[in-house]
Amino acid sequence: MPARPRELTPDRSARHLFGAKMRAHRERGGMSLEALSDVVNISRSHLSRIETAESMPPPDLPPRLDVAFGTDGIFEELYRLASKEIHPDQFQRRMDLEARAQVIGEYSGQIVPGLMQTEDYARAQFREANPWAARDRIEELVTARMSRQAWLRAGPPLDYSAVLDEAVLRRGFGGPAVMRAQLAHLAELTLTQTTMVQVLPFEHGGHALVGGSLTLMTLDDGARVAYEESITTGTLLEDLESVADRQRAYDLLRASALSPQDSAAFIQSVMEALPT
């Protein structure tokens, strides 16, 4: 006798609702998990975990489900809601504002900013941040980070700049192969139509933003906000004076950092110094 499907709880969260809707449309169409697996090219076991909300849907699944079920974007809408829920509440408003941003400037002193991380680097960073976390939880966080990147890429062109302390390049996560791929990705982003990345070498010395990270955002209505982050906390600044103070500090760092061309060469030199 086949096992009885687990009862779903669509009222608990957007992720649970996503899974419940997926099962409802699948069963309405007379499809087994195996049949749906063949259509969307995701394993049966993974689809089962998504239905029961044990796993976060990967970003390429919602449009495939909408095509398979003829649901006109419903699963993409649910996914956007569910992807926000993965992140801690203290970052929720920042994420909402980031989705509206037309210009983003970031400073990071220790790790590659999330919008520029490769999947393997993100996975290694999350493992280091919480070595006791279950593997599924780590994969959820990685999926959320990659979906955040995909979501922003899918919207209107974003004007993005970043100043990275030299420590970001030299502090390894995941081993030489992971770092080599991450540094290569950064080098590609140093100067494009929508991105500019600059390196601040150790020789520059101290500056106003040492000890944390900063994100500056100009929104679709022209408003400007700043977000400061430390190890475990984040502070959203929306008053004009505070934002202007952070903008001046960021502008000074950009003026002091290497040019994009020199930054690309610097990143290349760090890559070449990695052990094989």
Side-chain angles (χ1 to χ4, degrees):
M1 184 175 179
R4 187 174 180 177
R6 182 186 303 183
E7 184 176 348
L8 304 183
T9 52
D11 56 335
R12 285 188 58 186
S13 69
R15 184 170 63 175
H16 285 77
L17 181 59
F18 185 105
K21 288 290 186 183
M22 178 174 143
R23 177 182 288 180
H25 281 280
R26 176 177 63 79
E27 293 180 342
R28 190 177 304 151
M31 299 179 72
S32 65
L33 282 169
E34 289 83 355
L36 183 58
S37 173
D38 291 338
V39 173
V40 299
N41 197 31
I42 291 177
S43 72
R44 180 201 180 281
S45 60
H46 195 177
L47 290 175
S48 177
R49 292 195 299 272
I50 291 170
E51 282 193 355
T52 55
E54 295 175 71
S55 292
M56 178 66 186
D60 56 350
L61 176 62
R64 297 181 190 179
L65 291 177
D66 282 324
V67 170
F69 299 140
T71 42
D72 194 28
I74 288 175
F75 284 94
E76 290 196 79
E77 292 175 8
L78 284 173
Y79 176 77
R80 284 194 287 271
L81 294 174
S83 64
K84 291 182 180 181
E85 291 178 341
I86 299 178
H87 298 270
D89 290 342
Q90 64 185 4
F91 302 121
Q92 186 60 61
R93 178 153 171 75
R94 178 248 167 93
M95 289 177 59
D96 292 340
L97 294 174
E98 185 180 76
R100 295 173 48 201
Q102 295 182 335
V103 181
I104 293 180
E106 294 197 278
Y107 163 75
S108 181
Q110 297 295 332
I111 63 173
V112 175
L115 291 181
M116 296 191 291
Q117 289 183 2
T118 64
E119 183 173 333
D120 287 338
Y121 180 99
R123 183 174 291 107
Q125 190 241 310
F126 284 130
R127 282 175 180 159
E128 291 293 340
N130 190 355
W132 302 277
R135 180 177 178 180
D136 284 351
R137 176 56 179 165
I138 295 296
E139 291 307 311
E140 273 194 0
L141 293 170
V142 173
T143 296
R145 180 146 296 175
M146 295 301 105
S147 67
R148 180 175 157 221
Q149 294 181 9
W151 187 7
L152 289 174
R153 284 197 301 268
L158 178 68
D159 184 348
Y160 179 86
S161 67
V163 177
L164 306 180
D165 194 278
E166 182 177 341
V168 173
L169 311 180
R170 298 196 182 278
R171 189 176 305 283
F173 285 91
V178 171
M179 284 304 299
R180 189 171 289 107
Q182 177 63 76
L183 292 173
H185 183 55
L186 288 178
E188 292 173 354
L189 297 175
T190 51
L191 187 59
T192 73
Q193 289 184 328
T194 57
T195 64
M196 180 182 297
V197 178
Q198 296 172 263
V199 175
L200 188 71
F202 288 145
E203 63 188 33
H204 173 73
H207 56 82
L209 300 180
V210 166
S213 64
L214 172 70
T215 302
L216 295 160
M217 294 179 276
T218 302
L219 308 182
D220 50 7
D221 60 359
R224 296 194 302 163
V225 298
Y227 186 82
E228 293 181 325
E229 192 170 1
S230 60
I231 296 175
T232 58
T233 61
T235 303
L236 184 66
L237 305 169
E238 299 183 73
D239 63 287
L240 293 178
E241 184 176 354
S242 296
V243 175
D245 284 345
R246 274 58 173 191
Q247 184 70 59
R248 282 192 290 270
Y250 180 69
D251 290 343
L252 182 58
L253 281 191
R254 289 189 70 181
S256 304
L258 300 177
S259 69
Q261 183 177 3
D262 289 342
S263 294
F266 192 98
I267 293 170
Q268 183 66 36
S269 71
V270 176
M271 287 175 59
E272 292 172 354
L274 288 171
T276 57

